[in-house]
Amino acid sequence: MRHNPDTVLSDDDVVKGVIRRNPWATMISHGDDGLVASHYPFLLDETAEDIVLLSHVGRPDEELHQLGTREVLVVFEGPNGYVSPSWYGTSPAVPTWNFVAVHCHGTPELMETDTNLDVLERLVDYFEAPLPEPFRLRRDAENSDYADRLVSGTVGFSLRVERYEAKDKMSQDKPPEVVQRVIEALRQEGPHHNPALAERMAAHQRLRPLSEDT
């Protein structure tokens, strides 16, 4: 990503928060036949002090990415969307795109079958937890047997993030009153209705130093 000090995220805890809220990611590697991209959910290993990602892939993807033999790039995206200059109320102005993105680099470490099944259960539990009646992978003997058969077709892995680049571009270069107009526009019904992006921008506004408003 283009380097811009005003939008860089360098706090591990903030980056972890982006990953937690946006677990669906794109994994990219350079294989023998060129670039390969796959899409999977990722969890953080909450027991690790560093940023460690957990996930699993289907057997064909393991071979395509040649997992464990080379570095991969995992891209997480948070709220993003178009920002019209017509919302600024100032001139001159140009369109832009606000976004949150985290690029994680590292080499996957493949798991044994038992550990792989544990990660599958953790993935299911994570996404089921908010539901009134959460589904459990081992809810009964029949489903437990099914899960045991299913795991043989997948490969779990952990990825210790060796480095990352992250940006949180939320109109930091605009005066507070302009940012507020953009937030209000994003909350309106219409072709660019984007409440998630509006809330992210509003959170930035709440944390904005008072010195910028005076």
Side-chain angles (χ1 to χ4, degrees):
M1 288 185 283
R2 184 174 68 88
H3 180 69
N4 184 340
D6 292 336
T7 61
V8 167
L9 286 181
S10 57
D11 185 308
D12 285 5
D13 288 336
V14 175
V15 168
K16 286 180 179 181
V18 173
I19 293 170
R20 288 189 192 101
R21 289 187 293 273
N22 305 278
W24 184 251
T26 302
M27 182 172 69
I28 304 164
S29 66
H30 195 284
D32 293 339
D33 296 324
L35 291 172
V36 180
S38 297
H39 309 275
Y40 286 98
F42 285 78
L43 294 182
L44 286 167
D45 183 350
E46 301 290 358
T47 67
E49 292 187 9
D50 299 330
I51 301 177
V52 178
L53 307 176
L54 302 173
S55 190
H56 75 286
V57 300
R59 288 288 178 181
D61 274 3
E62 174 212 11
E63 297 174 1
L64 287 172
H65 288 281
Q66 296 179 301
L67 285 184
T69 67
R70 61 192 65 193
E71 184 181 67
V72 300
L73 167 64
V74 181
V75 179
F76 297 88
E77 291 188 56
N80 69 90
Y82 178 75
V83 176
S84 170
S86 67
W87 302 336
Y88 291 166
T90 61
S91 185
V94 295
T96 192
W97 199 280
N98 281 354
F99 67 94
V100 185
V102 176
H103 293 185
C104 295
H105 301 257
T107 301
E109 182 177 339
L110 304 188
M111 296 175 175
E112 299 295 334
T113 300
D114 290 346
T115 311
N116 179 26
L117 183 56
D118 177 63
V119 169
L120 284 174
E121 287 190 90
R122 288 165 69 176
L123 281 163
V124 172
D125 290 347
Y126 180 83
F127 295 109
E128 288 286 329
L131 298 178
E133 296 182 11
F135 173 89
R136 300 303 179 195
L137 204 58
R138 294 186 177 276
R139 62 181 180 174
D140 53 41
E142 182 181 13
N143 213 75
S144 183
D145 290 343
Y146 178 70
D148 289 339
R149 294 195 302 273
L150 177 70
V151 76
S152 64
T154 68
V155 177
F157 65 91
S158 64
L159 189 153
R160 184 171 299 277
V161 176
E162 297 163 2
R163 69 184 193 284
Y164 65 78
E165 300 92 34
K167 289 183 70 174
D168 197 359
K169 180 180 175 294
M170 293 290 143
S171 299
Q172 291 95 327
D173 60 332
K174 297 293 185 291
E177 63 273 14
V178 172
V179 177
Q180 190 58 42
R181 284 196 286 269
V182 173
I183 292 171
E184 291 170 0
L186 290 169
R187 286 174 172 161
Q188 299 298 314
E189 294 295 333
H192 297 297
H193 178 63
N194 195 332
L197 180 59
E199 180 50 39
R200 185 79 185 186
M201 293 181 67
H204 270 265
Q205 283 289 81
R206 291 192 289 269
L207 296 173
R208 199 163 188 161
L210 291 176
S211 58
E212 293 186 20
D213 300 337
T214 58

